[in-house]
Amino acid sequence: MAPANKSDKDRVIIFDTTLRDGEQCPGATMTFEEKLEVAELLDDMGVDVIEAGFPITSEGDFQAVSEIARRSKTAIIAGLSRAHPADIDRCAEAVKFAKRGRVHTVIATSPLHMRVKLNKTPDQVIETSVAMVARARNQIDDVEWSAEDGTRSEMDYLCRIVEAVIKAGATTVNIPDTVGYTTPDEYTQFMKTLIERVPNSDKAVFSVHCHNDLGMAVANSLAGVVGGARQVECTINGIGERAGNAALEEIVMAINVRNDKFPFWNKIDTTQLTRASKVVSAATSFPVQYNKAIVGRNAFAHESGIHQDGVLKDASTYEIMRPEMVGLKQSSLVLGKHSGRHAFVHKLEEMGYKLGPNQLEDAFTRMKALADRKKDIYDEDIEALVDEEMAASHDRIKLTSLTVIAGTHGPQRATMKLDVDGQIKIEEAEGNGPVDAVFNCIKRLVPHDAKLELYQVHAVTEGTDAQAEVSVRLSQEGRSMTARAADPDTLVASAKAYLGALNKIVMKRQRDTVSAAAAS
Ligand SMILES: CC(=O)SCCNC(=O)CCNC(=O)[C@H](O)C(C)(C)COP(=O)(O)OP(=O)(O)OC[C@H]1O[C@@H](n2cnc3c(N)ncnc32)[C@H](O)[C@@H]1OP(=O)(O)O
Ligand SMILES: CC(C)C(=O)C(=O)O
Ligand SMILES: [Mg+2]
């Protein structure tokens, strides 16, 4: 039913061709089961017409279209066919199982395509179109006719052929921008002129089908609707021939968000858009570009401090739609080198940390330093960084700097600067490997007889730039102390972990001395 302030004439029929035009692009072929899964999802999310395939293509495509037709709930199931008797019959046979089926027949109408590709005169193309639409209508009530390369066709000729196919029984007339050539104002005018000049245009729904060769598929589709079309052909994630088709999620959200400019309505449940994007991406193995409108992983993510601060104060500062509208739980604040303190504090609070002003400032500085070296900062990185910050706040021995020479030509050599009770000390040491050199350096700087009982390294997150988390256990006089430290540099993490355990030993010894003195 139409929303309160809208009528049926403002309704835009959403025709999804992910399973036909989407699947046509190299590498996007889906299995039978994947096609069924995508079709079910499209049906559930309120797509009006699902173009399930091109039945003459192969036995597999015929079976997929037939099965999708059998399982269809409310959507019309369409199949594509050339303007060829065998194609039409095969298509009608496949979609006949649907509650509502559609035969979609296509033929090119541009001078170039008719002459070079079809080797037919314009009159022959009209004759064939009329015959094929009539043939389809003899088998099914719902017939769509498409003028391939429509936007490069001559207007007078297009008016003639469109009038003829509507007379022959076409219920939908599609004027594709097959090669993504048109522009928004041109396409609005094109559709307007065609609809005005074709005498029986009120007997069919006019449709747009735009390709993205110049990145204008969505803008052109909307412009075509402004020009009078009431069906939009599109695909999930904008997949399709060459640079793709108009993206369904972008069309639908543009109509929802800018209804002042596009005063139309459709039946899509927008909260399923994110899921649909993921299902199609998985089925086709086509990754979704990070900055893809609506469904890209950055579409509702903010890393810049000024933006994060704005979003925390009021999301509408930097978001023109709420993430819940497209099926996301919430927008995300990603920490990185562009982040500010507001977002950092917010993230810490979310993770259950409450730091004092000095600790917070230190942790923030270290997060920035880490972000300069590491591409992605995960919650685990923050956790490692803050835990270490809290543990290190009372340390008597602190690492100031470390340089290690490693490689195939040993011996490995470490140069280390430590702050020991406020005094800066520097030393060099060699070792049997870089870690050994680092630990030998510490022993020179802070002589001790603790034994190394455990040394363990693992990656905190994924990737070659992941932080290394090192655990070190030292034992002295029957007591063991363990410490952990994380850093993108494994040797720095090793030094910090060793010093963490050593600090614990020193602190413990200090506490024991104080309590012994108190007892005597
Ligand atoms: C703009 C679009 O997206 S249109 C849809 C494009 N999609 C596809 O092509 C995917 C499925 N296609 C296929 O599986 C095959 O191309 C088939 C089964 C349709 C045809 O295969 P073949 O018979 O081997 O022909 P082939 O694909 O090599 O050539 C196409 C033939 O169809 C003709 N043709 C092209 N478009 C049409 C049309 N709309 N109506 C009638 N004939 C057409 C061509 O002129 C050519 O005919 P010719 O052999 O007399 O020169
Ligand atoms: C089959 C038609 C509608 C098509 O995909 C195109 O012209 O791009
Ligand atoms: Mg196409």
Side-chain angles (χ1 to χ4, degrees):
M1 221 181 54
N5 57 344
K6 300 273 190 289
S7 71
D8 269 353
K9 71 175 180 33
D10 305 319
R11 173 164 165 232
V12 173
I13 295 165
I14 301 295
F15 175 118
D16 180 279
T17 181
T18 304
L19 297 173
R20 199 280 297 169
D21 212 327
E23 206 205 20
Q24 261 172 229
C25 61
T29 303
M30 289 169 253
T31 63
F32 179 78
E33 288 74 20
E34 285 164 343
K35 284 191 129 192
L36 295 188
E37 187 191 3
V38 172
E40 187 179 7
L41 182 87
L42 296 173
D43 209 343
D44 288 344
M45 72 190 268
V47 163
D48 298 286
V49 188
I50 299 170
E51 187 163 52
F54 193 160
I56 197 85
T57 300
S58 67
E59 180 57 27
D61 224 46
F62 175 83
Q63 292 301 341
V65 176
S66 311
E67 192 55 31
I68 289 168
R70 269 193 204 94
R71 296 184 186 198
S72 60
K73 296 169 200 159
T74 55
I76 294 171
I77 306 302
L80 186 65
S81 52
R82 289 172 300 176
H84 194 287
D87 286 38
I88 303 270
D89 297 350
R90 192 75 172 139
C91 182
E93 203 187 329
V95 300
K96 74 175 181 215
F97 301 106
K99 289 191 184 69
R100 294 189 296 162
R102 173 180 294 186
V103 169
H104 177 191
T105 180
V106 60
I107 193 158
T109 54
S110 67
L112 176 70
H113 278 234
M114 290 191 287
R115 180 170 44 83
V116 174
K117 196 181 73 176
L118 298 177
N119 193 23
K120 282 190 192 298
T121 65
D123 283 343
Q124 283 172 324
V125 169
I126 295 182
E127 209 178 292
T128 307
S129 296
V130 166
M132 290 308 111
V133 167
R135 187 180 185 99
R137 271 307 297 261
N138 275 336
Q139 303 178 63
I140 201 158
D141 288 340
D142 188 341
V143 174
E144 173 169 339
W145 174 85
S146 278
E148 188 185 357
D149 206 17
T151 53
R152 292 194 299 172
S153 304
E154 286 166 357
M155 182 54 78
D156 285 350
Y157 175 69
L158 213 46
C159 289
R160 232 167 22 102
I161 193 167
V162 168
E163 183 183 354
V165 294
I166 294 176
K167 209 179 275 174
T171 45
T172 301
V173 169
N174 182 35
I175 310 296
D177 183 32
T178 305
V179 289
Y181 182 72
T182 197
T183 64
D185 59 336
E186 183 182 83
Y187 202 39
T188 300
Q189 202 46 55
F190 199 84
M191 294 305 295
K192 233 185 209 164
T193 307
L194 184 65
I195 293 168
E196 273 166 16
R197 284 187 48 188
V198 169
N200 52 358
S201 62
D202 60 320
K203 303 275 187 306
V205 172
F206 279 73
S207 168
V208 293
H209 175 117
C210 296
H211 280 269
N212 209 29
D213 300 67
L214 292 174
M216 291 191 283
V218 169
N220 285 337
S221 301
L222 292 165
V225 174
V226 170
R230 286 296 178 271
Q231 174 176 286
V232 174
E233 303 195 0
C234 44
T235 60
I236 301 290
N237 296 336
I239 63 168
E241 285 281 359
R242 304 178 311 280
N245 288 64
L248 181 148
E249 59 278 5
E250 294 177 27
I251 301 276
V252 167
M253 290 315 290
I255 291 175
N256 283 11
V257 175
R258 293 307 309 270
N259 208 254
D260 55 328
K261 287 276 169 201
F262 309 113
F264 312 107
W265 63 281
N266 59 77
K267 294 195 308 174
I268 299 296
D269 170 6
T270 61
T271 64
Q272 300 204 42
L273 291 175
T274 300
R275 189 166 115 72
S277 166
K278 290 199 163 89
V279 168
V280 169
S281 172
T284 54
S285 307
F286 267 38
V288 177
Q289 130 194 9
Y290 285 175
N291 59 328
K292 164 86 183 59
I294 318 296
V295 292
R297 84 169 201 191
N298 288 353
F300 294 90
H302 312 274
E303 193 207 299
S304 308
I306 295 166
H307 292 218
Q308 292 174 323
D309 173 47
V311 168
L312 285 170
K313 287 171 177 161
D314 182 340
S316 62
T317 50
Y318 289 100
E319 288 178 357
I320 58 165
M321 55 201 136
R322 297 295 306 136
E324 304 84 46
M325 288 167 77
V326 303
L328 272 182
K329 276 210 192 83
Q330 55 186 27
S331 30
S332 60
L333 300 186
V334 180
L335 289 182
K337 75 166 180 180
H338 305 104
S339 301
R341 287 174 183 75
H342 281 98
F344 188 59
V345 170
H346 178 80
K347 171 60 84 183
L348 291 180
E349 281 172 4
E350 266 184 1
M351 294 172 69
Y353 287 111
K354 272 202 167 56
L355 301 191
N358 291 342
Q359 274 183 329
L360 182 70
E361 209 45 41
D362 281 355
F364 182 69
T365 307
R366 292 175 50 176
M367 184 279 287
K368 285 272 190 179
L370 178 63
D372 265 338
R373 287 181 291 160
K374 190 173 183 296
K375 208 166 150 61
D376 298 306
I377 307 275
Y378 298 101
D379 284 5
E380 292 89 334
D381 291 314
I382 305 288
E383 213 168 68
L385 190 137
V386 175
D387 286 347
E388 201 185 306
E389 182 63 42
M390 289 166 101
S393 57
H394 304 295
D395 283 353
R396 290 178 52 186
I397 312 161
K398 294 185 178 109
L399 179 70
T400 304
S401 72
L402 171 68
T403 310
V404 181
I405 299 170
T408 48
H409 300 295
Q412 285 71 24
R413 169 174 290 275
T415 308
M416 185 180 284
K417 211 191 263 184
L418 291 184
D419 175 336
V420 184
D421 292 329
Q423 218 188 326
I424 299 295
K425 294 182 166 187
I426 187 160
E427 260 300 352
E428 274 189 3
E430 288 182 354
N432 186 18
V435 176
D436 193 42
V438 168
F439 291 174
N440 287 341
C441 224
I442 296 176
K443 281 179 203 145
R444 284 199 179 168
L445 284 159
V446 187
H448 59 277
D449 51 12
K451 295 261 174 311
L452 178 66
E453 276 192 341
L454 171 112
Y455 172 74
Q456 230 169 37
V457 186
H458 81 268
V460 175
T461 50
E462 291 167 9
T464 51
D465 67 349
Q467 288 206 88
E469 187 173 72
V470 176
S471 301
V472 165
R473 186 159 67 234
L474 296 178
S475 75
Q476 192 180 39
E477 292 157 10
R479 253 189 233 108
S480 291
M481 292 293 179
T482 307
R484 275 186 309 170
D487 195 279
D489 185 318
T490 311
L491 297 173
V492 173
S494 303
K496 285 181 177 172
Y498 194 106
L499 289 172
L502 194 56
N503 269 305
K504 286 183 184 174
I505 288 177
V506 172
M507 295 296 285
K508 177 76 181 132
R509 207 188 290 144
Q510 191 179 324
R511 279 199 302 276
D512 288 350
T513 314
V514 172
S515 48
S520 65

